[in-house]
Amino acid sequence: MFRAYTALILLGVIWGSNFIFMKWATALITPSQTVFLRVLFGFIPLALIAWRHKVITREQLAYLPHFIVMSVLATSFYY
């Protein structure tokens, strides 16, 4: 039970600190830049892992325009 509460508190601190960092970031850069950096730093590790495990094929590049539209609608346009 102690481990569960510790994990919950740790999750709350990590998740809650994200909002503080976003508030600090928007004081220095525009919200669009904040969104761009969040998406970029989320995309880079996932792309590297997918490339390393060879799960990306050339046929999937045909879906790239769809993913670009989805990313704009889910991040930039949302804010």
Side-chain angles (χ1 to χ4, degrees):
M1 193 66 139
F2 177 74
R3 289 179 61 193
Y5 284 127
T6 304
L8 186 61
I9 289 170
L10 185 62
L11 177 64
V13 168
I14 292 171
W15 197 321
S17 64
N18 180 47
F19 295 105
I20 294 170
F21 295 142
M22 289 301 107
K23 186 175 181 179
W24 290 347
T26 54
L28 301 173
I29 59 177
T30 66
S32 297
Q33 290 172 327
T34 305
V35 169
F36 173 73
L37 290 173
R38 288 186 70 175
V39 171
L40 180 68
F41 287 117
F43 169 76
I44 289 174
L46 292 175
L48 290 175
I49 291 170
W51 176 68
R52 182 173 179 177
H53 290 279
K54 296 180 177 29
V55 295
I56 302 289
T57 61
R58 288 192 185 266
E59 292 81 25
Q60 292 171 339
L61 293 178
Y63 300 115
L64 193 60
H66 301 282
F67 284 115
I68 291 171
V69 170
M70 286 173 34
S71 71
V72 168
L73 291 176
T75 58
S76 301
F77 189 69
Y78 176 77
Y79 293 105

